[in-house]
Amino acid sequence: MTSEPGRTTIIRDIKLIERYARNNEAEDLRFRNFVVRDLDMSTSALDEKVAATTDEVRKQLDCLACGRCCRFLQVVVDDKDIKRLAHRLGILPREVLHKYVNTAPDGTSHLNSIPCPFLLQDNRCSVYEDRPQSCRDFPYLHAGATRSRLLTLLEYISLCPIIFNVWDQMKRELWKHGRRKSPGRSTKNKNG
């Protein structure tokens, strides 16, 4: 999938991404297991690799062309987010809570509608400068601790073109022969 040396062809078509993600579920789980158990790379080196790959992929994708995270994910908010939104909207925090926020039984607060109530028709955010932290951080590829978050990334692989393309590039670069392995087989000796 490389178009020029060091450059990866980016897949933007959502239907194609969804199909690849669905067809590659077993392979993606094997790659996840390889990264967790067998990849000979420190946590910090892996996190740096993921962040650098993400930066390269982001240069080639426009989130405004997609907006799927805003249309399909529940936005978690905290007190700081609520205060920022209140200030932005010119209302009191309790009004933000009443109008826009629900609290789950576990105490987690989130925006009360999907799609996000602040999403505009052109995929822009009407509160972008004051958007919740969870929106600022998505797709969480710069968050570090990549190994411990791989299942979460897999959960969003068919939703977010950035995650899909970063994952695909990481698979190609780090798991050169992994696609030829039988499911569940490891090249490392379990006893040492």
Side-chain angles (χ1 to χ4, degrees):
M1 281 185 143
T2 303
S3 55
E4 60 187 69
R7 197 88 158 144
T8 301
T9 300
I10 297 296
I11 298 174
R12 292 172 178 80
D13 182 272
I14 295 299
K15 296 292 183 200
L16 190 57
I17 287 171
E18 289 173 341
R19 188 176 78 213
Y20 283 160
R22 188 174 48 253
N23 291 342
N24 293 332
E25 282 181 12
E27 177 183 291
D28 288 339
L29 282 173
R30 286 194 310 275
F31 176 64
R32 180 258 178 202
N33 291 338
F34 165 77
V35 171
V36 169
R37 298 179 189 140
D38 299 326
L39 179 64
D40 188 20
M41 183 181 278
S42 72
T43 298
S44 61
L46 177 62
D47 291 344
E48 289 172 19
K49 178 85 171 141
V50 169
T53 303
T54 300
D55 292 342
E56 284 303 311
V57 167
R58 276 193 169 186
K59 288 177 188 174
Q60 300 174 66
L61 287 170
D62 177 11
C63 288
L64 293 177
C66 176
R68 289 170 53 86
C69 53
C70 303
R71 285 197 304 277
F72 297 109
L73 295 179
Q74 190 169 60
V75 177
V76 174
V77 294
D78 62 16
D79 290 339
K80 289 179 184 177
D81 296 324
I82 292 166
K83 288 176 185 171
R84 247 189 343 269
L85 287 170
H87 182 264
R88 172 66 176 231
L89 299 171
I91 60 179
L92 296 171
R94 72 173 183 263
E95 292 174 279
V96 171
L97 283 167
H98 176 73
K99 188 171 182 178
Y100 297 107
V101 177
N102 283 339
T103 302
D106 69 358
T108 304
S109 295
H110 57 272
L111 294 182
N112 62 6
S113 68
I114 300 173
C116 176
F118 305 113
L119 179 65
L120 301 173
Q121 289 293 327
D122 63 358
N123 289 336
R124 292 188 187 279
C125 175
S126 65
V127 296
Y128 185 79
E129 294 81 12
D130 298 302
R131 68 196 182 279
Q133 191 64 47
S134 61
C135 300
R136 293 168 190 267
D137 294 343
F138 192 81
Y140 313 115
L141 294 166
H142 284 93
T146 301
R147 276 189 177 93
S148 66
R149 295 180 311 95
L150 291 174
L151 288 177
T152 302
L153 293 178
L154 282 177
E155 182 179 336
Y156 298 132
I157 199 167
S158 66
L159 176 89
C160 176
I162 293 172
I163 293 174
F164 174 84
N165 284 284
V166 168
W167 184 266
D168 189 58
Q169 187 168 334
M170 298 300 291
K171 257 193 326 191
R172 283 184 279 113
E173 290 179 16
L174 300 177
W175 199 40
K176 297 182 187 329
H177 302 290
R179 294 179 179 162
R180 291 188 211 124
K181 292 179 187 173
S182 299
R185 295 183 89 188
S186 174
T187 57
K188 279 194 170 181
N189 182 338
K190 297 280 183 195
N191 297 323

